[in-house]
Amino acid sequence: VLCKSQDHQHCGGDWRDGWIVFVDQNKNRQYDEGELILQVQNTLPKFSNLTWKGFFSNDEIIFEPNLEQLSANGQFEYCSESGHQGWNLTMNRLARTQLQQGTC
């Protein structure tokens, strides 16, 4: 599971607050004590922004061991602190990604 995480222990908050990637053993889409955290991303710079626009959910992105994403196709949109540079990272159901320069 990849989910936005304000405190790096629970899913929730905004994507700009940071995120966690963890192995969801009981498949409840939430981090539970004892589950393996694979990555933690800290808060982004103050005036930058990151959003996820997916067909089903804005809360988490679920992956299966065969690398298939259970969420629908979606796109991360990032705007830098200055607001002049943006990036769009599009991800399909097979977790293939495409990065494009965008606008903010």
Side-chain angles (χ1 to χ4, degrees):
V1 172
L2 164 64
C3 68
K4 53 191 174 183
S5 179
Q6 188 171 17
D7 64 3
H8 306 121
Q9 291 292 316
H10 302 92
C11 294
D14 291 316
W15 285 103
R16 69 176 171 262
D17 295 330
W19 58 85
I20 57 175
V21 179
F22 63 94
V23 178
D24 187 18
Q25 294 290 340
N26 61 4
K27 307 223 183 275
N28 68 351
R29 298 182 179 198
Q30 293 293 317
Y31 173 75
D32 297 306
E33 189 174 333
E35 291 180 326
L36 178 63
I37 294 180
L38 302 173
Q39 182 181 11
V40 173
Q41 172 62 45
N42 293 321
T43 305
L44 297 176
K46 186 174 183 178
F47 296 107
S48 61
N49 194 33
L50 181 68
T51 57
W52 167 256
K53 294 179 181 178
F55 186 72
F56 293 127
S57 171
N58 287 334
D59 296 329
E60 70 275 322
I61 302 166
I62 312 297
F63 296 94
E64 286 295 313
N66 63 2
L67 299 180
E68 182 175 319
Q69 178 193 159
L70 292 181
S71 306
N73 296 351
Q75 183 177 70
F76 278 105
E77 294 179 350
Y78 173 77
C79 285
S80 67
E81 309 178 66
S82 65
H84 298 293
Q85 185 175 22
W87 296 96
N88 297 326
L89 178 71
T90 303
M91 186 168 26
N92 71 14
R93 287 186 50 84
L94 297 175
R96 292 192 179 132
T97 59
Q98 179 180 8
L99 182 64
Q100 296 177 327
Q101 193 167 2
T103 58
C104 297

